[in-house]
Amino acid sequence: VEESQTFTADVGPYAGWRRRDTALEVLTAALAAHDRAVAAGGPAVLKASAKSRVTRSGGLVVKEALLSTARRRLAALVAPNRFRAGYENAQRLVVRGVGTAAPVAFLRGRGRVVTFYEDLGVYPRLDHRVRDALHTGAWDRRRLREVVDASADFVARLHRLGVWHGDLKACNWLVEERGGHVAFRLVDTDRVRFLPAVDRARRLRNVAQLAASIPRAVSRTDRLRWWRRYARGTPLEGREARRAAAR
């Protein structure tokens, strides 16, 4: 993610890295568009909070960590890796073959900390897609079960790889449908962790986050189907383990 055949530390007046196939001028233009979008508001602004601003421009998603307080400015000096974690974690997911928004660049300097990602705006959020597909009838019973199975397999694979996402809610999943194939992309990678093994507590936390964020239109029967498929081959498999997990 630093100096390699894919990335370079040549980022002009900033510190950081960028993909070699993305010119610094492209990043500068995207950052200027980001500033204009934040000032004007509108659909290009994906998030605007006290801690960060996220916008979409020219095929890139621009995420700026705001150093608006003395504490956050000090944190950026003492622990800069905290602010580039999303960039590094996204590349780690790419290397492991996990769908995500590919990292494009990380720039730090001139009082700013900014990360650039591939724009996956063509893919809907999982919670929105489930709600709309069931409401309109776009998914029949068979299709819903395919999505249930595919999503259970996705989380099971994450945990087998030692990947733990601190906020695995459905809003951080994007759904890619190509014919009969269903795939998922994880976003908001700042809180991803790579562990020797994902323990029971972390597994259940992820499952609880996802279950709470999936629309109620998904029945208890389908949720149990999801659980059984996810738990298969793990210590969570079986009726007693399921009851203990529910408690």
Side-chain angles (χ1 to χ4, degrees):
V1 299
E2 298 181 0
E3 193 71 31
S4 66
Q5 291 182 345
T6 303
F7 293 91
T8 177
D10 178 14
V11 287
Y14 299 95
W17 310 273
R18 63 175 171 86
R19 289 185 63 92
R20 291 182 181 274
D21 58 9
T22 304
L24 181 59
E25 291 76 14
V26 172
L27 301 178
T28 302
L31 185 56
H34 166 81
D35 291 339
R36 291 194 297 271
V38 168
V45 179
L46 304 180
K47 179 182 179 180
S49 71
K51 293 184 177 180
S52 64
R53 293 169 179 163
V54 184
T55 65
R56 170 180 290 129
S57 174
L60 296 174
V61 167
V62 183
K63 182 173 183 177
E64 180 176 13
L66 298 182
L67 308 180
S68 52
T69 66
R71 182 176 181 180
R72 288 182 64 80
R73 289 192 292 271
L74 179 61
L77 291 173
V78 174
N81 59 312
R82 171 184 171 188
F83 292 88
R84 65 173 184 257
Y87 162 83
E88 295 180 344
N89 292 340
Q91 181 62 10
R92 288 173 173 172
L93 292 175
V94 169
V95 169
R96 287 163 173 77
V98 176
T100 189
V104 174
F106 173 79
L107 303 182
R108 183 176 174 218
R110 300 185 173 185
R112 310 185 77 172
V113 177
V114 189
T115 313
F116 301 78
Y117 297 96
E118 170 192 15
D119 186 358
L120 299 179
V122 296
Y123 303 126
R125 285 172 30 172
L126 177 61
D127 51 344
H128 291 175
R129 180 58 180 149
V130 169
R131 182 194 61 206
D132 296 343
L134 294 181
H135 177 71
T136 63
W139 286 356
D140 58 15
R141 185 69 186 162
R142 178 179 178 181
R143 184 58 167 174
L144 175 59
R145 287 198 167 188
E146 290 173 349
V147 176
V148 167
D149 290 349
S151 59
D153 290 345
F154 182 69
V155 180
R157 180 169 180 264
L158 284 180
H159 289 169
R160 282 198 307 272
L161 291 171
V163 176
W164 186 75
H165 194 301
D167 194 14
L168 201 67
K169 292 182 292 190
C171 62
N172 289 327
W173 293 48
L174 303 181
V175 185
E176 179 184 359
E177 296 180 83
R178 291 177 292 175
H181 178 69
V182 181
F184 304 99
R185 308 285 188 96
L186 273 183
V187 295
D188 197 13
T189 53
D190 298 41
R191 297 178 62 191
V192 171
R193 299 291 181 269
F194 299 87
L195 307 168
V198 179
D199 61 26
R200 182 179 184 274
R202 286 190 172 93
R203 283 175 175 266
L204 294 183
R205 179 175 173 180
N206 271 178
V207 172
Q209 289 169 335
L210 183 60
S213 59
I214 289 293
R216 293 184 179 181
V218 178
S219 69
R220 175 177 170 81
T221 298
D222 286 317
R223 292 170 188 263
L224 286 173
R225 176 187 177 91
W226 189 99
W227 171 265
R228 291 190 186 102
R229 190 171 180 101
Y230 163 77
R232 190 169 53 191
T234 76
L236 296 172
E237 187 175 21
R239 180 178 298 179
E240 291 305 317
R242 185 176 73 247
R243 288 176 176 173
R247 288 195 295 270

